[in-house]
């Protein structure tokens, strides 16, 4: 069975400090992993994706994530938070079972304080 | 390049009224199409997906239905809305190669 757990429902950081959003997954297959960002009343935008190439993945807006198979984790990081990073972030697992089965995490709301 | 359009952006409807949300994709052919619902403060719930014209799979039982009359058109409908149908509806497409989803801007539905 496949599952995704975002370990924090809310994360609050100060502007200019590092961001860490945690995600653990479970999969019987070799998964593709994604992070999406959603600003209020907007659709989801892809930040980055892991599809079995390099384990350290760089995305847009300075975000990156590292796939750690031994820890079944795919945490999202950014060295320095910006006010515009305040949004909801979703970790997503996709596995190739009769097409693709996509499982969304519950989301982490990121607050950035001035 | 591929684009996805979803409308209307916002909708306020009385209980018992019908619903039609439309989604179209441009710049690709034979996409997989999806309808998700996002209730306030909650994650995404897959409602329907389609791998081809006229092929609809439902993930949850409810009073909503979906149709795919053309390759790049996906419609979400209801004959009689319930209060619980309120939420943010998202259309998405994928090419089926990597599982990556591309989302529309969403439709905010409020049922009063």
């Amino acid at each position: 069975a496949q599952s995704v757990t975002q370990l924090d429902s809310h994360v609050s950081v100060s502007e200019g400090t590092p961001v860490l959003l945690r995600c653990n997954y479970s999969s019987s297959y070799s998964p593709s992993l994604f992070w999406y960002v959603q600003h209020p009343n907007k659709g989801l935008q892809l930040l980055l994706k892991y599809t079995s190439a390099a384990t350290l993945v760089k995305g847009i807006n300075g975000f990156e994530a590292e796939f750690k198979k031994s820890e079944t984790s795919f945490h999202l990081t950014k060295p320095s938070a910006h006010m515009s990073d305040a949004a909801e972030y979703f970790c997503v697992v996709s596995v190739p079972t009769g097409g693709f089965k996509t499982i969304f995490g519950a989301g982490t709301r990121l607050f950035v304080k001035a | 390049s591929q684009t996805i359009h979803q409308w209307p952006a916002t909708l306020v409807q009385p209980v018992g009224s019908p619903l039609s949300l439309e989604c179209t994709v441009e710049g690709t052919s034979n996409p997989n199409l999806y309808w998700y619902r996002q209730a306030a403060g909650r994650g995404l719930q897959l409602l329907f997906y389609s791998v081809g014209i006229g092929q609809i799979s439902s993930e949850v039982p409810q009073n909503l239905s979906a149709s795919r009359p053309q390759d790049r058109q996906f419609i979400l409908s209801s004959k009689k809305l319930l209060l619980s149908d309120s939420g943010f509806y998202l259309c998405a497409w994928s090419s089926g190669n990597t599982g990556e989803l591309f989302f529309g801007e969403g439709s905010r539905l409020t049922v009063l």
Side-chain angles (χ1 to χ4, degrees):
Chain A
Q2 285 66 238
S3 66
V4 181
T5 302
Q6 291 185 242
L7 298 166
D8 307 291
S9 59
H10 299 85
V11 170
S12 182
V13 301
S14 297
E15 191 174 22
T17 64
V19 175
L20 170 64
L21 305 182
R22 298 180 295 166
C23 174
N24 286 109
Y25 72 93
S26 173
S27 176
S28 306
Y29 304 86
S30 295
S32 296
L33 296 160
F34 308 85
W35 275 99
Y36 290 85
V37 60
Q38 184 182 31
H39 289 92
N41 292 310
K42 295 291 185 182
L44 277 70
Q45 180 186 17
L46 182 70
L47 277 178
L48 49 80
K49 61 183 177 182
Y50 166 78
T51 55
S52 76
T55 56
L56 181 61
V57 181
K58 294 187 183 298
I60 61 172
N61 301 334
F63 284 94
E64 63 181 38
E66 186 172 5
F67 173 68
K68 292 186 176 181
K69 187 174 181 179
S70 61
E71 299 176 10
T72 61
S73 68
F74 191 56
H75 301 335
L76 182 70
T77 61
K78 182 173 180 177
S80 176
H82 191 273
M83 295 297 289
S84 61
D85 294 328
E88 186 93 20
Y89 291 80
F90 292 95
C91 182
V92 178
V93 170
S94 186
V95 293
T97 57
F100 273 89
K101 184 173 177 62
T102 300
I103 302 101
F104 281 80
T108 298
R109 172 72 65 179
L110 176 65
F111 297 92
V112 182
K113 299 174 290 186
Chain B
S1 64
Q2 301 89 3
T3 58
I4 178 169
H5 303 283
Q6 187 180 340
W7 70 93
T10 59
L11 197 60
V12 180
Q13 293 286 95
V15 170
S17 64
L19 171 73
S20 181
L21 300 179
E22 189 163 343
C23 173
T24 60
V25 180
E26 297 177 357
T28 187
S29 59
N30 197 31
N32 296 331
L33 295 171
Y34 307 82
W35 278 111
Y36 285 88
R37 177 169 59 200
Q38 191 175 27
R42 301 180 67 177
L44 274 74
Q45 178 187 34
L46 178 63
L47 301 175
F48 300 96
Y49 69 93
S50 172
V51 298
I53 296 174
Q55 301 178 60
I56 309 294
S57 296
S58 174
E59 289 291 303
V60 292
Q62 59 209 330
N63 70 321
L64 298 172
S65 62
S67 61
R68 185 170 178 174
Q70 299 181 49
D71 181 45
R72 289 169 289 178
Q73 183 184 28
F74 205 26
I75 299 171
L76 183 69
S77 304
S78 174
K79 293 181 179 179
K80 290 185 177 182
L81 284 168
L82 306 172
L83 287 174
S84 58
D85 291 324
S86 293
F88 194 53
Y89 289 82
L90 290 158
C91 181
W93 73 272
S94 74
S95 65
N97 292 331
T98 64
E100 180 178 350
L101 292 168
F102 301 90
F103 286 87
E105 284 294 291
S107 298
R108 171 74 60 191
L109 171 65
T110 303
V111 183
L112 302 175

